[in-house]
Every structure is written in C-alpha cells, then in structure tokens.
C-alpha cells in the first residue's frame, strides 16, 4: 500500500480545508501520514490520518517559506514516502518545487485528480486538462476545491510522532508580521448581488458603467485578480484564491474567463450569469447562463433596462 | 543589487486552444504567444526596485520563437542587459528542464535577487521560482506583492488568501515568485521597443546541464467543468432582455 505524506496547511490556529481535501483523496490511495509543522496542538484534528509527524521549533511558529521548506525536506528524506501531497496554494508553492529538486522527485502541479501513477492537472487558465503519468515517488501539488473536505475529516486517533527540526539557525528569511487587509468600503462576502469585472473590461475607464449597473441592481462591484493587480480596484473587491470566497444570490461575471483561481471563489453562487466574448471561456462551464455579446454593448443595454 | 528576471512566453488564452494530433500537446502551429503576465509583473517590480535602490536588472529567457522581441521589450522598459539561453527549447519545455538551464546561466551571471512570475498557465511540472531556488541553493518566497530594501536586506510582502499579507525580512541571495508588482506593469509602444533593439546585444549563454520533468504527459483533454451554461446568444439587446427576464423570474429585479 502506498505511503502518502500530506503536508498540513494551517493558519491562525485552524487547519485549512485544502488539508482535509488532500487527506480524503490520499486515504483512497494509501496510508496517510500528516506532516504537521509548528502547530502540534492541531494534531487532534487530523483523525483521518494513520500517523501524524509533528515538528516544532521556535522558527516554525509562524509560516516561514524557507524554514518550512527545509523541514519538509528533512521529513520526506527520513520517511521516503511514495507520494507527497502539498496544496497548490500560497504556502504550498513555497514548498513543493524546492522539495522536487532537493529530493529529486518529479512534481506534478495544479492537480485536480490523483490516482496511482497518474495525475490530472488543470492548465491554461482552466481551458485544458493534462494527464501525466508518473512512476516512482513524486510530489503532487493539489488545487484547492478539487476534492471534498469532509472525506478527509475523521475522528480516529492517529499515532503522533515527534521529529526534531533540522538546523534552522541560519535562516535567511524571517517572519515579521501579518498585515490584515484594510477594512474595505464594502464587504463583498456579505453582498447578495455582485457585478464582477474581469480582464475583458479592458481598462479602468470602463469601470463606471459596471458600477452603474451594480448600483441599479442594488449590489456591489467585485472583480477578478487582473483588475486588482492593475490597481483598478482594491484588494477587498477581489474574488478568488488570493481574494475572497463569495456566495451571492447573483454573480454577474463580466469579461471574466474563469481561471481556476477565480472559480474557486465564486462557484457556489446561487445564480451565475457570465458574459464573455470567448465562447470557450471556462466560466461558461460553471455559469447557469452565458452570453457572448460584446460587453460594451451589453452593459449599456442592461443599464438602460434597469 | 543584481536582479535577474527570467521571462517566458505562453500561449495567449484569448485564442482558442486546440489539441494536436498526438493528443498530448497543444496544436502550436497557429498559436499566438505572449509574455507570461506574471513575468511582466516580475520585470516591473525589478525595475521599480532598481529605480529606488540602484543596481542592475537582467532579463533572461530560453531561446524560443519571438523571444528576441520579448527581450527587446524588457530592455525598452528598463532592463540593463538581456540574455538568451540557447539550446533545444522548441515546443513545450517542462519547468524542470527550463529551471535547470536557467539556473546554470543565472549562476554564471551572478545574482542577488531572482524575480520571476509566480506561475504560468503551462507549468504542469511546477512553478519555476521554487525549482530555480532549489538549483541555486537560495531561499524562495512566492506570491510576492512587494519587495523593498531595508538596510542591507530586503522586506518582502507575501500574499495569503483573503487578502492577508505576511511581511518577511530576508537576506540575499533569494528567488522570488512575483504575483503583482507595486505598480501596473509599464507599457512601451512598439516604436520604443524598435528603438531599444537598435544596437542592443542579446547576450547568449549555451545551456549546460539538463533535467527533465520526471513525468510524462499521457493525454490532454478539454475539461467538462459543470453542466455548462444555457447560452443566450451574442446579441447585446436580446441578451440584456433575457437577463432582465431571468432576474425577474428569480425575484432579483
């Protein structure tokens, strides 16, 4: 039976869902060892694993990209698992690729499905899936939301094994502090109606018509990542992986192609209407209604009808 | 400080993607490429850093179609030097192959900071920054939204979900996967790129060692996400009327 290590992701004293998602899948494939760094007190939540390896050190009390990387490397080197599952997340990205090089293990990223010897990755902004065959031990970085979290929650009492941290005295990266997002003008997670702008909006000057539409609908404007990266809207408006998860009654997606990172944040909206001129945009797989009209005709037409 | 910025081209997703005859790769014949948008952000952050603190910015890329134009554009934006790693890099190059070739070249150039895009739409076998860091023996931080100088070291902002940012201090050498530059990446008109290309030498370094992904693509297929949307057409007036109807029927408007 294969021996699978799941690197536990936790933040502010909570085990993140990605961990349970990976553990559920890992349980289908083999024997699960959870690798818990810097938070031994959370071991009790990992009942779906058959073993928990805990590593604690003063340098690991907060996530540290370099410290966690070195620690995972040491744990994997000592245990020789058949597969290491890491979240394809902000924290996991600091771990997976480095581990692949240091342990000379293949890495398959953006995984949405994993079976013995084969991994499916979601690539090209969600437009293509690619199946990879891997023989021998490998690292898989898993996209959040790929597997149900419930399957990875269990009330078992796995053996807890403490392992000493590797030498972390000379770390070149040190944690300073967390900066919370500024209290936004609008909390998009509590809005019932969101009119969401994406790259298709083309430039900042086109935002006022989106705002007008949101106003007429009694909702707020949200957006996908490129809009925030270009500083057209603030971070508090961003829906998706590095933004916020929303569940409004209506999500009107304007010029959003539907990259996996975005879908993760809005797929549970009650009603999704998407407009994008590309009929193959992945957003249409998730939307209830889709239209391929030109945004700059559609938005004024909607504004006129409200 | 010497900042090296690896850039690469990726398929422009605005175009329709087709699978080739092998069933394992994109049909690249008519594919339109563009510079990975995160690499654009990495270059912007590197240039902003240089403008604030001095130093040099070197843009580096594996040799591929049209890469010279991308390097000329980097020079027009403010890169001091552009370098091309030559070797057999046609078609689809795995991240592991690219990282090894780039790492060897970067090692020979010398560096304090590597800034590259946090991810690309085609890095099936992993994001390049972490792989580079592994080869270069340097620390690595990803999803970075700001890099500043602080005394002899750096202050790095890394983004978590929900918009929370972690602040780290770091010493060099370091490899950073940039999510977003502090400013919108600058735009340079074609005329300026053409001007920058005149008299500009693209330095060439031959790739030395090799590495492969360690996994093989067995098939490529289009995803079937959900049930799919009910399409209401491409006519704006008609679609707007239909949307109003849907909203009315759901009691939203």
């Amino acid at each position: 039976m294969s021996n699978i290590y799941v690197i536990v992701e936790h933040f502010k004293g909570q085990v993140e869902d990605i961990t349970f998602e990976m553990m559920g899948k890992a349980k289908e494939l083999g024997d699960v060892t959870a690798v818990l760094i810097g938070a031994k007190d959370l071991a009790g939540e990992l009942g779906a694993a058959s073993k928990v390896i805990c590593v604690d050190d003063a340098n690991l009390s907060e996530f540290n990209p370099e410290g966690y990387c070195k620690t995972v490397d040491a744990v994997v080197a000592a245990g020789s698992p058949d597969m290491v599952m890491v979240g394809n997340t902000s924290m996991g990205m600091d771990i997976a690729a480095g581990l692949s090089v240091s342990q000379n293990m293949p890495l398959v990223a953006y995984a949405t499905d994993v079976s013995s010897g084969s991994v499916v990755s979601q690539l090209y902004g969600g437009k293509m899936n690619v199946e990879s065959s891997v023989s021998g031990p490998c690292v898989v970085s898993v996209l959040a939301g790929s597997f149900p979290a419930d399957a990875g929650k269990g009330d078992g009492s796995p053996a807890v094994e403490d392992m000493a941290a590797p030498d972390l005295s000379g770390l070149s990266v040190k944690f300073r502090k967390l900066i919370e997002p500024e209290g936004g003008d609008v909390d998009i997670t509590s809005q019932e109606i969101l009119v969401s702008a994406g790259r298709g909006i083309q430039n900042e000057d086109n935002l006022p018509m989106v705002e007008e539409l949101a106003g007429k609908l009694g909702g707020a404007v949200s957006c996908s990542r490129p809009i925030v990266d270009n500083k057209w809207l603030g971070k508090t408006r961003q829906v998706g992986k590095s933004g916020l998860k929303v569940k409004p009654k209506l999500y009107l997606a304007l010029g959003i192609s539907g990259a996996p990172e975005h879908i993760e944040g809005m797929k549970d909206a009650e009603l999704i209407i998407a407009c994008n001129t590309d009929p193959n945009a992945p957003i249409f797989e998730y939307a209830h209604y889709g239209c391929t009209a030109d945004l700059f005709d559609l938005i004024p037409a909607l504004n006129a009808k409200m | 400080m010497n900042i090296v910025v690896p850039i690469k081209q990726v398929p422009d997703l605005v175009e329709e993607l087709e699978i080739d005859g092998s069933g394992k790769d994109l049909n690249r014949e008519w594919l339109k490429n563009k510079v990975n948008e995160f690499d654009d952000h990495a270059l912007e952050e590197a240039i902003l850093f240089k403008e604030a603190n001095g130093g040099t910015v070197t843009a580096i890329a594996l040799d591929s179609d049209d890469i010279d134009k991308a390097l000329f554009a980097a020079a027009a934006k403010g890169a001091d030097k552009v370098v091309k790693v030559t070797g057999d890099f046609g078609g689809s190059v795995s991240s592991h192959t690219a990282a090894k070739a780039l790492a060897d070249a970067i090692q020979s150039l010398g560096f304090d900071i590597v800034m590259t895009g946090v991810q690309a739409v085609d890095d099936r076998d992993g994001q390049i920054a972490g792989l580079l860091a592994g080869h270069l023996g340097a620390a690595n931080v990803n999803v970075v939204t700001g890099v500043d100088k602080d005394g002899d070291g750096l202050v790095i902002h890394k983004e978590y979900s929900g918009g929370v940012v972690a602040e780290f201090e770091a010493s060099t050498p370091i490899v950073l996967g940039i999510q977003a530059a502090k400013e919108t990446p600058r735009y340079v008109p074609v005329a300026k790129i053409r001007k920058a290309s005149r008299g500009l030498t693209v330095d060439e370094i031959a790739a030395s060692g090799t590495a492969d992904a360690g996994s093989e693509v067995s098939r490529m297929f289009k995803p079937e996400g959900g049930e799919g949307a009910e399409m209401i057409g491409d006519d704006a007036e008609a679609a707007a009327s239909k949307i109003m109807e849907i909203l009315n029927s759901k009691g939203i408007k």
Side-chain angles (χ1 to χ4, degrees), chain A residues 90 110 132 176 179 216, chain B residues 124 150 158-159 165 253:
Chain A
S90 182
Y110 309 95
S132 302
R176 264 192 187 169
I179 303 164
K216 285 182 168 167
Chain B
R124 175 188 71 91
D150 184 35
K158 171 185 172 70
E159 205 171 83
V165 167
K253 195 74 194 173

Side-chain angles (χ1 to χ4, degrees), chain A residues 25-241:
Chain A
K25 188 68 198 178
K27 257 173 63 175
E28 287 175 22
L29 302 171
D31 193 45
V32 183
T33 297
V35 178
L36 178 58
I37 300 171
K40 193 178 177 183
D41 54 316
L42 296 176
E45 302 198 17
L46 305 170
S50 45
K51 186 167 92 174
V52 181
I53 296 176
C54 291
V55 188
D56 277 289
D57 184 279
N59 289 297
L60 300 173
S61 57
E62 291 283 348
F63 179 76
N64 179 309
E66 189 188 16
Y68 273 56
C69 207
K70 288 191 166 164
T71 303
V72 170
D73 190 35
V75 171
V76 170
S80 304
D82 300 301
M83 182 186 286
V84 181
M85 281 192 184
V86 187
N88 199 105
T89 57
S90 182
M91 296 183 194
M93 280 164 80
D94 289 344
I95 296 169
L99 182 67
S100 170
V101 174
S102 63
Q103 293 299 313
N104 196 22
M105 289 160 84
L107 162 62
V108 184
Y110 309 95
T112 55
D113 200 8
V114 186
S115 54
S116 175
S118 140
V119 178
V120 175
S121 305
Q122 192 175 45
L123 298 178
Y124 300 104
K127 283 187 154 188
M128 284 290 173
N129 286 340
V130 173
E131 187 178 281
S132 302
S133 58
V134 202
S135 55
C138 64
V139 184
V140 176
S141 65
V142 177
L143 281 178
S146 299
F147 310 116
D150 284 347
K153 293 178 182 169
D155 50 9
S157 37
V160 176
E161 184 185 298
D162 287 309
M163 194 177 140
D167 179 13
L168 300 173
S169 55
L171 291 182
S172 58
V173 177
K174 291 190 173 68
F175 173 81
R176 264 192 187 169
K177 62 181 177 187
L178 288 180
I179 303 164
E180 298 293 333
E182 283 172 31
D185 41 357
V186 169
D187 175 10
I188 58 169
T189 62
S190 65
Q191 293 288 321
E192 294 199 334
I193 292 172
L194 288 174
V195 178
S196 210
R199 192 193 310 272
I201 208 73
Q202 292 179 4
N203 70 59
E204 199 173 1
D205 300 338
N206 293 321
L207 276 175
M209 69 168 103
V210 179
E211 274 153 9
E212 184 187 342
L213 180 57
K216 285 182 168 167
L217 280 165
V221 173
S222 58
C223 63
S224 62
R225 187 193 48 70
I227 305 295
V228 172
D229 285 354
N230 283 328
K231 324 290 176 203
W232 297 345
L233 284 172
K235 191 76 203 166
T236 51
R237 302 290 184 124
Q238 186 186 334
V239 173
K241 181 176 168 183

Side-chain angles (χ1 to χ4, degrees), chain A residues 215-284:
Chain A
K216 285 182 168 167
L217 280 165
V221 173
S222 58
C223 63
S224 62
R225 187 193 48 70
I227 305 295
V228 172
D229 285 354
N230 283 328
K231 324 290 176 203
W232 297 345
L233 284 172
K235 191 76 203 166
T236 51
R237 302 290 184 124
Q238 186 186 334
V239 173
K241 181 176 168 183
S242 58
L244 296 160
K245 283 194 173 60
V246 298
K247 232 171 147 176
K249 284 200 167 116
L250 168 66
Y251 191 79
L252 183 53
L254 303 172
I256 292 176
S257 65
E261 294 85 355
H262 187 76
I263 300 293
E264 194 182 316
M266 47 61 77
K267 64 172 190 260
D268 296 328
E270 283 176 38
L271 173 63
I272 302 169
I273 302 177
C275 179
N276 195 305
T277 46
D278 176 4
N280 298 308
I283 190 91
F284 294 131

